[in-house]
Amino acid sequence: MKKLISLLVVCLLLTGCVEKKYIEKLGVITVIGYDVLEEGLVQGTMVFFQFDPSAQNVSQIITSIAKTSKGIRQDGNLKSSKELVSGQLRLVVFGKKAAESGTARLLDTLNRDASISDLLYLTVAEENAKDILQSNKMEDAADIGNYLKSLIEKNIRKEVLPSSTLHRFMHDYHDVGLDPILPMVGLADGKPVIYHLALFQGDRFVKKVPVKQGFYLKLLESRFRAGHLETTLPEEPFKPYLQSDRNHKNVEGIQIAMDEISSKTKIKLVDPKALKFKVDVNIKTRILEISEDIQIQNPKVLKLMEEELSKNIENKMEELVEVIKEAQVDPVGFGKKYNGASRKKKLTKEEWREKIKDIEVEFNVNAKILRHGIIQ
């Protein structure tokens, strides 16, 4: 009995120590955007919810200027009657210049804050984060934060975009021989859209590539389970098998769309001194649409299409590797493979950064078409 009374007393004391916060007095930050200004100042644009029944707008936007992310929130509290809290932060948008100057100092605070989930999404703006968050074109979403989160989340789920959580970014940032990738958000007629991926050297944004190249990045650094791809094959090898002319004179090559793509990739370091890697890629897919009337039911034609598709993917991945080498970034993890396979002293990030421009990669792609003829 004495133990029970003691336990109750302790619980009451602990309860008394917890600061009460009434939800109608809070401004719950869901999205924050960072833009760098002169003299080391950072401009933060915060989107927050207010649960006040008397408020006309549920969602509000405040812009503050400070030298740290904590300072931005403190300055924001001087501009709102609500107490701004970040426990429901779901998305961070870095302006282009902020990403180029380095994200580590801002992410460090987020990563250390126990109230913030490391599953929040990160993205880079094509120009200013403030312009993205002040857009009022967001379809049927409650606010710009929900729209952006849904836009990114949906495309990650559909395997169009790589994972862009805080957890994944910090893992890739700290891993030697691996660099982060983030989606880039721009404006088209005032509406936020995703056209590019941002490649990083450590915590700094250095190069953007079209989202379509993200397919080949994912093919290299992980695997597809239900991906899709639209590409162009040369027409010449298929001319003997064309059944009719569809008058696509203004379109070069044969356009094909595929879905239900599954893949498995193996990267092997074959010559440490020459920095030579071999990449074997096995792909299984279904043809969803094809622009020309081809005898695809013919086993010879199907085999030819698999061969041409394999060559096409090999060429695209070779082009991507050249981009990686020129920018001296490693979103694939070749450096991680090198350190894992080499018996010599492990390379540092700086040492691998210098070596990556000299890597050689040999590709061997084996594409298998399992089904076809859905739309022809």
Side-chain angles (χ1 to χ4, degrees):
M1 186 67 180
K2 289 182 179 179
K3 289 183 177 179
L4 180 60
I5 293 172
S6 299
L7 182 62
L8 289 171
V9 171
V10 171
C11 289
L12 287 171
L13 289 172
L14 289 174
T15 303
C17 294
V18 176
E19 181 185 357
K20 291 182 179 180
K21 291 186 177 181
Y22 297 97
I23 195 167
E24 64 270 14
K25 294 183 178 181
L26 300 180
V28 181
I29 302 170
T30 57
V31 186
I32 187 164
Y34 295 114
D35 292 300
V36 294
L37 305 176
E38 295 179 354
E39 300 179 355
L41 293 174
V42 180
Q43 178 178 263
T45 305
M46 294 170 284
V47 180
F48 66 91
F49 269 119
Q50 53 184 354
F51 297 88
D52 188 346
S54 63
Q56 292 184 347
N57 296 315
V58 175
S59 178
Q60 294 286 334
I61 297 177
I62 284 181
T63 299
S64 298
I65 296 175
K67 291 186 177 181
T68 65
S69 57
K70 289 291 185 184
I72 286 170
R73 197 170 79 185
Q74 290 170 358
D75 184 65
N77 273 310
L78 298 174
K79 300 177 180 179
S80 173
S81 61
K82 306 296 180 183
E83 181 185 351
L84 301 180
V85 293
S86 55
Q88 293 298 312
L89 189 62
R90 293 292 178 261
L91 177 69
V92 174
V93 183
F94 291 100
K96 181 183 176 184
K97 289 183 180 179
E100 287 174 338
S101 64
T103 60
R105 71 180 179 121
L106 296 169
L107 289 179
D108 181 68
T109 303
L110 299 177
N111 203 38
R112 291 173 183 272
D113 193 333
S115 69
I116 296 176
S117 170
D118 63 356
L119 296 180
L120 67 86
Y121 293 112
L122 307 178
T123 186
V124 177
E126 296 273 1
E127 292 300 333
N128 297 323
K130 183 179 179 181
D131 295 340
I132 300 295
L133 297 184
Q134 288 185 333
S135 169
N136 57 7
K137 292 188 177 181
M138 47 198 175
E139 297 175 354
D140 57 351
D143 63 30
I144 190 64
N146 272 312
Y147 171 76
L148 290 172
K149 179 178 177 290
S150 297
L151 177 67
I152 293 169
E153 202 167 46
K154 176 196 71 175
N155 283 291
I156 291 174
R157 189 173 62 250
K158 288 182 172 292
E159 301 186 290
V160 176
L161 298 177
S163 174
S164 60
T165 62
L166 173 62
H167 174 81
R168 175 64 184 270
F169 186 95
M170 297 306 292
H171 173 272
D172 293 353
Y173 167 60
H174 288 295
D175 216 341
V176 177
L178 185 61
D179 287 314
I181 321 167
L182 291 179
M184 294 191 75
V185 180
L187 294 173
D189 297 325
K191 181 180 179 181
V193 294
I194 299 173
Y195 288 141
H196 296 99
L197 296 176
L199 304 183
F200 281 73
Q201 273 189 8
D203 72 322
R204 295 186 304 108
F205 162 55
V206 295
K207 178 77 175 180
K208 69 178 181 181
V209 296
V211 165
K212 286 187 176 181
Q213 278 196 312
F215 174 87
Y216 305 101
L217 261 177
K218 183 174 176 63
L219 203 57
L220 283 168
E221 57 96 18
S222 61
R223 63 168 62 188
F224 280 98
R225 290 176 174 81
H228 65 272
L229 174 68
E230 182 182 282
T231 192
T232 304
L233 299 182
E235 185 177 346
E236 190 64 32
F238 297 96
K239 280 187 175 180
Y241 306 102
L242 293 175
Q243 297 183 121
S244 63
D245 185 3
R246 292 185 175 176
N247 295 318
H248 294 158
K249 302 299 182 184
N250 58 333
V251 180
E252 291 186 7
I254 297 172
Q255 316 302 314
I256 62 171
M258 296 161 286
D259 70 350
E260 295 186 6
I261 296 174
S262 61
S263 68
K264 187 175 182 180
T265 300
K266 183 179 180 181
I267 301 176
K268 184 179 180 181
L269 177 66
V270 294
D271 189 339
K273 288 186 178 180
L275 295 175
K276 188 172 182 179
F277 295 84
K278 184 179 180 183
V279 179
D280 293 312
V281 182
N282 290 299
I283 297 174
K284 295 179 181 179
T285 186
R286 173 184 76 162
I287 292 182
L288 187 65
E289 184 175 347
I290 186 166
S291 63
E292 302 299 331
D293 189 8
I294 299 175
Q295 302 171 14
I296 197 167
Q297 294 83 1
N298 185 331
K300 290 183 179 180
V301 177
L302 190 61
K303 180 68 175 176
L304 178 61
M305 185 159 288
E306 289 174 342
E307 291 173 353
E308 291 299 325
L309 178 59
S310 297
K311 291 178 187 176
N312 176 274
I313 293 174
E314 285 177 1
N315 291 335
K316 296 291 186 183
M317 289 198 292
E318 286 170 358
E319 291 173 6
L320 178 61
V321 168
E322 289 304 311
V323 171
I324 288 172
K325 289 166 64 175
E326 183 181 350
Q328 291 182 268
V329 298
D330 192 358
V332 176
F334 287 114
K336 191 175 178 181
K337 287 287 182 182
Y338 180 90
N339 270 346
S342 178
R343 296 182 181 180
K344 297 181 179 180
K345 180 184 175 182
K346 306 301 181 186
L347 295 178
T348 64
K349 287 187 177 185
E350 292 73 22
E351 289 170 337
W352 179 247
R353 191 77 64 206
E354 289 302 312
K355 283 183 176 291
I356 192 171
K357 61 180 181 292
D358 298 319
I359 66 171
E360 296 179 28
V361 185
E362 177 188 346
F363 291 103
N364 176 36
V365 177
N366 179 28
K368 186 74 175 175
I369 298 172
L370 301 180
R371 286 184 284 167
H372 54 80
I374 306 301
I375 302 175
Q376 291 188 13

